[in-house]
Amino acid sequence: MRLLNLFKIAFKAIVLNKMRTLLTMLGIIIGVASVIAMLAIGEGSKESIRTNISSMGSNIITIRPASASSSGVRASADEMQTLTLKDYEAVKDQATFLSYATPLVTGKGQVINGSNNWPSSIYGVNPDYLKIKVVDLQSGSMFTDAEVKTASKVALIGQTVVDNVFPDGQDPIGQMIRFNNIPFKVIGVLEVKGENTFGQDQDDVVIAPYTTVQKRILAIDYINQIMASAVSEDDAPNAVTEVSEIMRIQHQISNPNKDDFSVQSMEELISTFSSTSEMLTVLLVAVASISLLIGGIGIMNIMYVSVKERTKEIGLRMAVGGKGSDILMQFLIEAILISVSGGALGVLLGLTSTVFIEKFLNWPTSVAMYSIVISFAVCAVTGIFFGWYPARKASALDPITALRYE
Amino acid sequence: MSKEIIKIEDITRDFTMGAERVRALRGISFTINEGEFVTIMGSSGSGKSTLLNILGCLDQPTSGLYEIDGIKVKNLSRNELATIRNEKIGFIFQSYNLLARTSALENVELPLIYNSKISTEERRERAIKALKMVGLEDRMDHTPSQLSGGQQQRVAIARSLVNNPVMILADEATGNLDTRTAYEIMSIFQDLNEQGITIAFVTHEEDIATFSSRTIVLKDGNIIQDYKNENVQSAEEELAKLPKENH
Ligand SMILES: Nc1ncnc2c1ncn2[C@@H]1O[C@H](COP(=O)(O)OP(=O)(O)OP(=O)(O)O)[C@@H](O)[C@H]1O
Ligand SMILES: [Mg+2]
């Protein structure tokens, strides 16, 4: 009852000063809206990184050569020749947490079909590669283990390569292309995957048996990478440990600090990137919070003015029997009303701008429910916090002094 | 015979302004019994408002004793004082002190908002009744800026009546009014007084004092006269005697 009356008084004061209230709210509105939008952008990019990386195969494990951290000059991983087919076979035979594995050799070169040519990369792998990367074929079929054994000159190509070397819309299956002057018969086209998180075009690729790439194109007998997939995403950490141990035995390394290889799971990659974007989110939210703080100070400022301006009114209310606590509550409710309705408008603005950001800037966004709840709670607290002091001051006034105030 | 509603003993009130000290009241004592109608007179600056503020529990004396209805005011907390102001006292200020941009009705309702025993409906009913008593039933929705000085004064009077106080303290309630309106208001006060409400009324004007049963005269913070009025005039009769031309 009493509270309802005080609420009515506070509400009336706000309505009587519409413009001023709105301007006061503006700080809070902008603050809340930017917190929500920033969090949405942060969450969105985190989520898109996660789905993007997951789409590349979330249980992928890669084994690369690496220079032991204690050794002097670091060679680039591609130039290192420490990874061999023997390693691959050991890993494949001994690891229990892996379902598939393939050696990987890569090279760059020119794809040529008649007068059309296109610079691309070639990946030498075994047939398991498609299962590891979770890639399907649009048409044609994968090469077989037999074709790997015989180092057949067959290849699968991605859509970007198709578009550039078969511009006439010709069916590439069965056609001959040349990669660095070595003829390959196209036996399949990979499904379209688009760009990955790192902006790499995943369709700009030629896939061929690793034996063929090793012998005909690169003329090497080592391999660049071993790519494998863990039995499940949960088993990825176990697989990493297991593979590392196998590799250490293979390379006769007793001290893990002297590893000449690195084993990495996609999970680790995801968390690396997530933490980067998390930092970004924290930064964005910090900036947004500052504007919320400024909004709060705006409320405090206007409540101060309001208390000063209405000192006579306060005196009168006290003279007719208003208690200090009534006055305190009245001004506190007023501050909370301003901040909470500002918060509500801010949430609305935040959601709308998130939609706009998604639509027109094409940034991935994801509005987290918690961001709405938190900014709303922060608003209420801001109202109480910044309204308290002026309200407290008003309630401590002496009735007669307040009445005489000019 | 009847009980003492106000009892003050040797009240002083000093105002310190920097190094200077103003002694607004210099030791005042009197008692007012229930049902008395007292006018407090004196020249400007003699301490009338200061005294009334203390009687109204708006201000505290520098020294001395004040009992209202048997309660020692000095021992009361801020909240208890607020409750006394809310339930026992109707105060009319020298300047009307109405809430701007607020209707007459809401202004009159104001004291009852702070009394949680009174429902919204009762509050409204009592405010309407009080406005009727001062003849403003057709001005209830007007805000102070839409009312004349006399009408504002009457809204302030209605506000002091609305909580059914045991005592009304009026500081120059007729100060800004023409004779006719002043007499009308005095007749309202006389009616209220007949109903048993104690009234302390500050005024400058001798003729207004003739409507009361007792007069206290202040000078420089001291009481110089305190006398019973044997021949109380009826404001209603005086009103009838006034020439009717201005109506
Ligand atoms: N808050 C205050 N601070 C300082 N001096 C004050 C204060 N209130 C009153 N006084 C002084 O106390 C004296 C009495 O003032 P008071 O208002 O009681 O006079 P009054 O009799 O009501 O006069 P008037 O008829 O003009 O209203 C005056 O000299 C005034 O200057
Ligand atoms: Mg005065």
Side-chain angles (χ1 to χ4, degrees):
Chain A
M1 184 64 209
R2 203 185 111 211
L3 214 63
L4 184 73
N5 286 335
L6 294 176
F7 185 87
K8 280 186 196 155
I9 295 169
F11 187 74
K12 201 170 163 215
I14 286 176
V15 172
L16 281 177
N17 287 305
K18 275 189 219 74
M19 195 60 195
R20 190 167 86 181
T21 309
L22 202 73
L23 288 174
T24 312
M25 276 183 197
L26 210 57
I28 289 281
I29 293 175
I30 292 172
V32 169
S34 48
V35 167
I36 287 186
M38 293 305 143
L39 269 173
I41 291 170
E43 282 293 313
S45 72
K46 211 158 74 182
E47 232 163 70
S48 94
I49 287 171
R50 180 163 275 277
T51 50
N52 244 322
I53 295 182
S54 297
S55 78
M56 298 176 358
S58 57
N59 34 11
I60 291 181
I61 289 175
T62 53
I63 304 145
R64 272 178 249 259
S67 44
S69 44
S70 55
S71 77
V73 183
R74 273 172 181 270
S76 104
D78 285 339
E79 288 164 17
M80 279 191 283
Q81 309 182 0
T82 48
L83 218 54
T84 64
L85 281 169
K86 279 214 174 70
D87 295 330
Y88 158 69
E89 270 146 26
V91 167
K92 187 171 170 62
D93 292 344
Q94 294 167 32
T96 54
F97 288 108
L98 297 181
S99 44
Y100 302 105
T102 175
L104 181 69
V105 283
T106 58
K108 287 194 186 305
Q110 212 68 14
V111 186
I112 301 164
N113 172 36
S115 59
N116 302 306
N117 72 82
W118 176 250
S120 189
S121 314
I122 193 161
Y123 284 39
V125 292
N126 73 14
D128 282 349
Y129 177 78
L130 293 190
K131 288 170 194 141
I132 296 167
K133 291 281 276 184
V134 213
V135 193
D136 264 339
L137 298 182
Q138 284 183 45
S139 58
S141 56
M142 188 59 176
F143 47 78
T144 60
D145 284 324
E147 282 169 312
V148 173
K149 209 160 260 169
T150 57
S152 297
K153 287 181 264 182
V154 289
L156 292 89
I157 54 179
Q159 188 60 44
T160 307
V161 179
V162 173
D163 291 343
N164 285 289
V165 300
F166 296 99
D168 309 329
Q170 199 183 351
D171 182 10
I173 308 288
Q175 300 295 317
M176 294 303 287
I177 55 166
R178 297 161 83 80
F179 190 93
N180 283 3
N181 280 328
I182 312 294
F184 283 87
K185 184 177 168 199
V186 179
I187 57 165
V189 178
L190 303 172
E191 76 175 348
V192 177
K193 284 219 131 183
E195 279 184 9
N196 68 10
T197 322
F198 319 106
Q200 221 171 21
D201 182 0
Q202 299 178 88
D203 302 324
D204 188 6
V205 69
V206 176
I207 288 173
Y210 68 90
T211 45
T212 319
V213 177
Q214 266 186 323
K215 283 180 198 149
R216 317 267 171 188
I217 299 200
L218 303 171
I220 55 170
D221 53 9
Y222 60 90
I223 56 177
N224 300 121
Q225 242 184 67
I226 300 168
M227 195 181 258
S229 63
V231 176
S232 71
E233 213 173 308
D234 296 336
D235 278 327
N238 295 331
V240 170
T241 328
E242 191 183 36
V243 168
S244 303
E245 276 158 14
I246 296 168
M247 286 297 294
R248 261 171 229 135
I249 294 167
Q250 278 292 309
H251 288 194
Q252 285 148 14
I253 295 165
S254 50
N255 180 356
N257 291 330
K258 296 219 160 113
D259 282 354
D260 60 354
F261 59 90
S262 81
V263 183
Q264 209 176 24
S265 70
M266 206 46 109
E267 240 350 272
E268 288 170 310
L269 205 63
I270 291 176
S271 55
T272 313
F273 275 86
S274 300
S275 72
T276 324
S277 93
E278 214 143 82
M279 262 210 356
L280 199 75
T281 309
V282 167
L283 218 73
L284 289 175
V285 171
V287 171
S289 304
I290 289 171
S291 61
L292 197 61
L293 180 77
I294 292 170
I297 293 170
I299 289 188
M300 181 137 140
N301 179 35
I302 221 66
M303 290 315 293
Y304 250 114
V305 172
S306 191
V307 166
K308 268 257 159 2
E309 218 179 56
R310 283 149 68 191
T311 304
K312 254 195 140 95
E313 175 193 325
I314 294 166
L316 176 68
R317 287 182 183 282
M318 287 179 155
V320 300
K323 298 190 171 75
S325 57
D326 292 324
I327 305 297
L328 179 82
M329 283 307 283
Q330 177 192 331
F331 281 91
L332 211 52
I333 290 172
E334 196 176 316
I336 294 171
L337 268 180
I338 292 177
S339 63
V340 166
S341 42
L345 289 176
V347 167
L348 226 70
L349 183 69
L351 293 181
T352 349
S353 45
T354 303
V355 171
F356 271 82
I357 287 167
E358 174 108 52
K359 256 216 160 90
F360 295 110
L361 295 181
N362 266 325
W363 290 2
T365 60
S366 159
V367 176
M369 196 56 214
Y370 78 87
S371 72
I372 295 179
V373 174
I374 287 180
S375 30
F376 223 79
V378 166
C379 275
V381 173
T382 305
I384 294 173
F385 185 80
F386 289 103
W388 175 264
Y389 192 65
R392 179 70 238 189
K393 232 183 128 157
S395 73
L397 284 172
D398 199 39
I400 204 73
T401 328
L403 271 171
R404 279 174 173 270
Y405 182 85
E406 292 302 333
Chain B
M1 40 155 220
S2 54
K3 73 169 176 179
E4 290 172 352
I5 200 124
I6 281 177
K7 181 175 166 194
I8 56 172
E9 266 171 30
D10 206 18
I11 289 275
T12 66
R13 180 68 171 102
D14 295 350
F15 295 105
T16 29
M17 305 170 71
E20 219 179 315
R21 207 168 69 150
V22 180
R23 299 178 65 196
L25 298 176
R26 311 183 181 211
I28 287 181
S29 308
F30 60 73
T31 57
I32 296 178
N33 290 330
E34 191 170 32
E36 271 194 285
F37 190 157
V38 183
T39 38
I40 298 169
M41 295 192 59
S43 54
S44 183
S46 57
K48 304 182 297 293
S49 295
T50 306
L51 176 61
L52 210 65
N53 290 338
I54 290 173
L55 296 183
C57 298
L58 290 168
D59 198 9
Q60 294 275 10
T62 309
S63 70
L65 182 85
Y66 174 29
E67 277 181 23
I68 179 166
D69 226 358
I71 306 161
K72 286 196 180 66
V73 169
K74 205 174 170 181
N75 303 331
L76 299 179
S77 69
R78 276 169 65 95
N79 281 353
E80 287 166 327
L81 286 173
T83 306
I84 288 193
R85 289 197 296 267
N86 189 240
E87 292 175 0
K88 291 202 191 294
I89 299 171
F91 204 102
I92 302 163
F93 299 93
Q94 189 162 6
S95 45
Y96 326 115
N97 279 334
L98 300 179
L99 288 183
R101 298 195 286 173
T102 305
S103 72
L105 186 63
E106 284 174 289
N107 262 297
V108 175
E109 279 184 336
L110 193 63
L112 301 183
I113 285 179
Y114 296 107
N115 187 339
S116 48
K117 285 171 240 157
I118 289 164
S119 69
T120 314
E121 298 77 44
E122 192 185 349
R123 188 166 80 217
R124 181 124 306 192
E125 268 167 38
R126 279 168 68 168
I128 292 172
K129 198 174 131 217
L131 277 167
K132 275 189 184 146
M133 281 184 77
V134 297
L136 279 180
E137 58 269 36
D138 54 347
R139 291 283 188 280
M140 292 196 291
D141 297 330
H142 289 49
T143 61
S145 62
Q146 298 163 333
L147 294 168
S148 73
Q151 286 168 335
Q152 289 181 47
Q153 186 72 281
R154 282 191 276 168
V155 173
I157 293 170
R159 185 177 62 197
S160 74
L161 299 176
V162 78
N163 57 345
N164 297 333
V166 291
M167 172 167 80
I168 289 178
L169 303 171
D171 197 351
E172 312 234 10
T174 57
N176 303 299
L177 305 178
D178 60 286
T179 316
R180 170 168 285 278
T181 322
Y183 283 13
E184 275 170 13
I185 282 169
M186 287 319 290
S187 99
I188 295 171
F189 279 124
Q190 283 188 330
D191 283 349
L192 291 167
N193 184 235
E194 252 151 54
Q195 291 164 30
I197 299 178
T198 312
I199 296 173
F201 193 97
V202 168
T203 185
H204 273 119
E205 291 145 274
E206 293 282 350
D207 58 335
I208 295 290
T210 61
F211 299 124
S212 68
S213 59
R214 178 179 167 192
T215 303
I216 295 172
V217 184
L218 294 185
K219 188 168 190 265
D220 296 334
N222 289 308
I223 295 179
I224 53 166
Q225 275 183 329
D226 182 352
Y227 59 91
K228 287 262 185 305
N229 191 351
E230 303 300 336
N231 185 19
V232 181
Q233 307 279 322
S234 158
E236 211 172 335
E237 283 167 24
E238 293 302 310
L239 194 59
K241 282 186 218 159
L242 284 178
K244 297 228 160 159
E245 62 213 66
N246 51 357
H247 236 265

